[in-house]
Amino acid sequence: MNIAKVIVDVPSSVVNQTFDYRIPEKFQEMLKPGMRVVIPFGPRKITGFVIKRIHESSYENLREIMDVLDITPVLTDELLQLGRWLAEKTVSLYISTYQAMLPQVLKAKYSKEIIRLTDIPLPNVLEQKLQQKNAISFEEALAVLGSYKNLQYYIEKGDLAVQYVVASKATKRYKTLVYPSSPEHLKEGLKKTNNRAIRQKEILQFFIQHPYPIDQTELYQQLQINRSNLKALIDKELLTLKKVEVYRNPYEEEFKKTKNLQLTDEQELAIRPINNSIENNVHKTFLLYGVTGSGKTEIYLQAIEKVIHKGKEAIVLVPEISLTPQMVKRFKGRFGSNVAVLHSALSVGEKYDEWRKIHRKEVKVVVGARSAIFAPFENLGIIIIDEEHETTYKQEESPRYHARDVAIKRGEYNDCPVILGSATPTLESYARGKKDVYHLLKLTKRTNEKPMPQVDIIDMRKELHEGNRTMFSRALTEKIKACLIKQEQIVLLLNRRGYSTFALCRDCGHVEECPNCDISLTFHKGENALKCHYCGHEQPMPIYCPNCESTSIRFFGTGTERVEEALTKLIPEAKIIRMDVDTTRKKGAHERLLKRFAEKEADILLGTQMIAKGLDFENVTLVGVLAADSMLHLPDFRSSEKTFQLITQVSGRAGRHELTGEVIVQTYTPDHYSIELASKYDFETFFNHEMQIRKTFLYPPYVFLALITISHENEQNVYSVAQQIRSKLENKLHDGSFILGPSPSPIARIKNRYRYQLMIKYRHEPYLQQSINKILEDFQDERRRDLQILIDFNPYQLM
Ligand code: ADP
Ligand code: ZN
Ligand code: ZN
């Protein structure tokens, strides 16, 4: 077994396969699949993942592995398999799926150091070296110990540890703890200690009263001693020193312990089949469809508790924007330090810390955004995806995977349940629930027995006809004022999409567009600049129209900034917190703004989608949706579904506690079924209606979609390749599958690249991925000349 199959870090489909390398003597005993290695590749030195060890290679003159980067594997056997499956399913490179599974730090370059963790004697030369310095280089340690195997031995035993020296400060931190020996031993030691050794006696007394490990510096401070005072006691083996890792803790506060709630009858019914699946180690996918506030989270918590009892582990996915301190608190409150949190707002180092807690099996539960689905647990007992309808579960760069598919795959591998929870499930999931592909569980009542808040639809066309030119209906204005008097709070939601502010010349109708992309520029008032949200192009706001030189340039559309301004004019006494991409860019800003609102520093929380989810404020009694239909007219077959989801989700924010809530939805299309049915909380009717439409126009869940986007600077080139792809594919598809296009993408040009798309609609094409892979190979030359072909299965972004 002295040959390793390695996936190399070269982002090219030509090398999307394993390469064989000889394993030199020094690595033979320690090298395992899932470790990263350094190998020669052509003239270069690159990294790769060991997938397998084999006896013989069909190639001759194999080159040798140059270095091994890990002492323990970073990818488990399951993840190695999963990465392979995922790459094939999404037509991505193996290297990109493996990299997607690891924290960023492990992709960077770094050097390694060896430090000691205990006072247990080490081989002589090493002992000397480590007494002179705290850390020695990895290479030096290796030279002293003579082999990788020896080094691995001390590391696995816990005497030594590898420390990564990363340019970004993402290295580990350690503190030294003083461990007392048993109280009997200490008492005996105290008796034997010479009466003049006052310090030693004090220290022993201290530990007899506090029989716990304590931070060395803290002990020095408390007892006013220094290391020399400890030395004699360490020599007598009454105390030992041990270095332990200090994790950077982004959620510093201590969490109050919470207990299981007595489940309601509905909850009891819903959790039973989940518990069965846990007990019997059977994989099943459950769709937990429960209205907002029906106690889905309590079901997650109690199911997880059962899993932990069995000695197994749990993954909980929540959308990035719902991963608030409130949410984290609910899990840490129940499971304490058994919980790791993976969140994109963490620094690189913090993410690495959290990942390592999982890797070292120091935690049993991970709560995180999409990529937490790859947590390297080896004994998974449950996977939960909360708000399963959220589109953030789909990764929009390669590998373009959906976390739900990965979850189900891992559920199968681990024989454990997968729970998809939502108040507004996707049509795909609900249809599967109805066909018993998923096991459907329903919660129809709020746990507080309160009805869902009343939703009023306001026709904004009528407002305009009756002379109200503002963006606030009279009803909404009045209700806001009434709330202010009662000192209750208000949440106002704007849809970011369709809400950008563009500059239009009133004389000639000219709209300033991005010179690189086919899209109008957005006005940013703070900087008095126009910006492109696709390529980042930025230009000062023109004074004269570039087309007709008129000075009548006006802004259209309604950004959050403008709404805030208008609102302040209308109700000057209202204190407003605005939450959008601009005000939440800084780390922790999101949480700070929410905290201020929770502490009633403001009356109104005004923001984009990011305020619609998971927030739970006792004092919010009014929710306003400013233009519910701004999403309806996008070229996206999911626009009705998304509108329904959004209105339902925000309505769930009002009146969750003692006070009753009210919702106002302003719209120009009050008769649209998604708005009307959402205001009645009638998901079932919405589902049936929308399914009819999907059936008629052949959209998911009646078919699967694959979107191929081709782009290049030369439009003719793009069109011609798109045509060729179409005819190559046509030959391979079965009856009942078809291809739409090539047609220009809804945004026909981005960053000076022309974009055309092909949409494949199909029901059953088991070889589609292979066919597409073959086509990618056929166009290798074009792709080398900067032609891009993007493949997106089950696409969410159709632009
Ligand atoms: P969901 O996740 O479905 O929106 P939550 O789990 O947040 O609902 O529950 C809403 C509220 O009801 C929370 O404040 C929660 O503590 C409370 N709750 C949940 N289950 C129970 C129960 N069995 N008894 C009493 N209160 C409950
Ligand atoms: Zn003009
Ligand atoms: Zn642009």
Side-chain angles (χ1 to χ4, degrees), residues 504-511 544-553:
L504 175 125
C505 169
R506 278 202 297 185
D507 284 328
C508 76
H510 172 82
V511 173
Y544 302 101
C545 168
N547 188 42
C548 74
E549 302 190 355
S550 142
T551 50
S552 332
I553 295 180

Side-chain angles (χ1 to χ4, degrees), residues 43 46 63 187 199 209 224 227 255 297 301 398 413 423 430-431 450 452 469 473-474 497 515-516 758 761 770:
I46 59 172
R63 300 173 80 179
K187 281 178 196 155
R199 285 294 189 204
Q209 278 156 29
Q224 293 296 312
R227 179 156 182 150
F255 292 95
T297 312
L301 292 169
S398 184
Y413 184 98
Y430 199 65
K450 290 238 157 109
M452 296 299 290
R469 305 193 148 272
S473 61
R474 289 159 298 178
R497 292 248 198 138
N516 315 314
L758 294 166
K761 293 185 171 180
Q770 269 168 281

